[in-house]
Amino acid sequence: MEDTAVNNVGSDNELSQLRIRELEGQVVEMRGRVDALQKEVTQLRRENAQLKRVPLFVAVVVDLLGNSEVYLRQQGNNQEYISQVADDLYKVLKPGTKVAVNNTLSIVKVIGNIYDSRVRVMELEESPDVTFEAIGGLENEIEEVREAVEYPLTHPEKFEKIKVEPPKGVLLFGPPGTGKTLIAKAVAHEAKATFIRMSGSELVHKFIGEGAQLVRELFSLARERAPSIVFIDEIDAIGSMRTHDGTSGSAEVQRTMMQLLAEMDGFDNRGDVRIMAATNRLDMLDPALQRPGRFDRIIEIPLPDADGRRRILQIHTKHLNHRGVDLEEIVHKTEKYTGADLQAVCREAGMMAVRRGADAVEHSDFLAAVRKVRNDPVMDNRMYR
Ligand code: ATP
C-alpha cells in the first residue's frame, strides 16, 4: 500500500519535470519570436519615418485595372503610370480618389476624393454641343471672342508666326440672359475643348471657407482636361471692389480673389487652357482683374437689336409647329427683351397652344406670350432695363 503511494509520487514528479521542460522550451521559442517581432517593428518604424521624410507626390486614380493594379495620373506634371497596391487599399480606391505616392510611385495614403468638391461646384462638359448657329446676332462679339479664345487653341502657329501674345482672359459683360454662357460653350464646341464652368456667387455663398481651394482645383482640373475653357460666371461675386475696401468684404472672399489672380498670373497666354469670365456689373469689378495679363479683353454683350431679336426668334421657333405668325410684329414688340426672354416668349407661346388643344402655335399665342413674359414678376426680375 505504502509502496504504491511512493510510486505515484515519483511518477507525478517526473510528469511535472517534463511539463516544466516543455514550458521552458516554449519560453525560449517565445523570446525568439519577440526578438524577431521587435526587429520587424524597428524596421517598419524606420521605413515609416523614411516615407514621412521624403516629399510625397499627389496623384489621382484614373482607373482600377483589376489584379490590384491602379492607373494613376500625377497632378502637376500629368505623368501617368500603373501601380500595384495591397488588396485592402485597392478596395477603397475608385476613379477620382486623390492619393499620396512616394518616389517609387507606391501609394502611401489616401488623401480624399478630388472630384467630390469639384463636382459640387463646377459644371464640366466635354466639348458642349452648342454651335454658333444657335446664337442670334452678336456676330462681331462672337468674332472677338473666337479670336482671343478659340484661335489660340486651334491655330497657335498663327500667333507664333506674328509673335503676338493672345489676350490671357476674356471678360464678357452685359445683362443677364444675353448669351454669354452660350458663346463660351459654342467656342468650346468649336475648339473641341472641355468646358468648365464655375459660378462666382455659388463659390462665395455656398462654399464658405473653400473658395481659394476650389479656385486652385478649378485650374488644376482645367490643366488636366486641356484643351479646356474655364468659364467663371458672375465673377463680380469674387472680384467686386466692394469686397476690397476693407469694410464689407470678408477675408475669405479676398483670399479667393487673390488665388484667382495668382492662378491667372501663373498661366501661359499661349497655353491650351483659355480663361473666360462673365459679369452683369462691370462697374463693380475690381480693377486688379482688368490689368494687362488678366482679363485684358473686355467685350460687351448687349441686349439684342431688331436684327438680333429676329434671329433669336427664328432660332427658337425652328422646331416649333407654328402657323401664320408675323415674327416682324413680335420683333417690334420685344424691344429690350433679352435672348433668354425671347426664348421664354417662344416657349410660352407653345404652352398656350397646348393649353388651347391646338395643333400649331398662332400669332395670338405669341402676342399673349410677349405680354406674359413682360408682366410675369419672376420673368420681370430677369429683365434688364
Ligand atoms: P447670365 O448672365 O444670367 O448667366 P447669360 O448671358 O450667360 O446669362 P445664357 O445663359 O447664355 O445667358 O442664355 C440663357 C438662354 O437664353 C440660352 O440658353 C438661350 O436659350 C437663350 N439665349 C440668350 N441669348 C441668346 C442668343 N443671342 N441667341 C439665342 N438664344 C439666346
Side-chain angles (χ1 to χ4, degrees), residues 365-379:
D365 296 318
F366 267 90
L367 291 177
V370 168
R371 275 195 303 277
K372 174 151 192 221
V373 170
R374 268 276 182 192
N375 296 329
D376 190 321
V378 178
M379 297 202 175

Side-chain angles (χ1 to χ4, degrees), residues 95-281:
T97 306
K98 195 151 78 167
V99 293
V101 295
N102 61 16
N103 50 4
T104 63
L105 304 181
S106 310
I107 297 179
V108 177
K109 62 179 172 187
V110 173
I111 307 176
N113 198 317
I114 198 162
Y115 292 113
D116 278 353
S117 54
R118 291 175 171 191
V119 165
R120 277 185 297 143
V121 69
M122 294 169 211
E123 170 191 332
L124 191 146
E125 263 182 78
E126 306 277 349
S127 186
D129 55 9
V130 177
T131 61
F132 290 118
E133 270 87 80
I135 307 176
L138 304 173
E139 286 80 11
N140 296 336
E141 290 81 359
I142 289 174
E143 190 48 39
E144 266 198 84
V145 175
R146 296 186 75 176
E147 220 174 74
V149 182
E150 181 189 323
Y151 304 149
L153 287 176
T154 52
H155 302 288
E157 70 290 345
K158 288 191 181 166
F159 294 83
E160 186 59 39
K161 199 158 77 189
I162 310 282
K163 299 260 178 289
V164 63
E165 295 276 307
K168 186 172 268 184
V170 174
L171 180 65
L172 306 181
F173 80 97
T178 42
K180 297 183 285 299
T181 312
L182 221 49
I183 294 178
K185 284 191 176 178
V187 170
H189 169 87
E190 212 63 28
K192 297 190 177 49
T194 312
F195 174 81
I196 309 171
R197 176 182 166 274
M198 180 150 88
S199 149
S201 70
E202 277 190 14
L203 198 65
V204 169
H205 297 124
K206 264 174 91 181
F207 302 96
I208 298 151
E210 295 178 84
Q213 175 61 20
L214 284 168
V215 166
R216 209 172 299 130
E217 289 188 358
L218 171 73
F219 283 89
S220 88
L221 184 64
R223 275 186 217 105
E224 268 171 44
R225 299 298 189 100
S228 55
I229 292 176
V230 170
F231 182 69
I232 307 171
D233 210 356
E234 300 176 83
I235 192 168
D236 42 285
I238 313 172
S240 110
M241 266 185 295
R242 219 164 41 85
T243 60
H244 297 270
D245 61 5
T247 53
S248 44
S250 73
E252 142 82 358
V253 176
Q254 290 200 28
R255 265 200 304 280
T256 307
M257 160 83 167
M258 296 317 285
Q259 186 62 41
L260 175 63
L261 296 181
E263 292 287 349
M264 289 198 74
D265 291 347
F267 258 86
D268 178 1
N269 287 30
R270 299 208 201 138
D272 51 7
V273 176
R274 314 296 308 157
I275 310 164
M276 293 181 73
T279 179
N280 309 322
R281 298 294 314 267

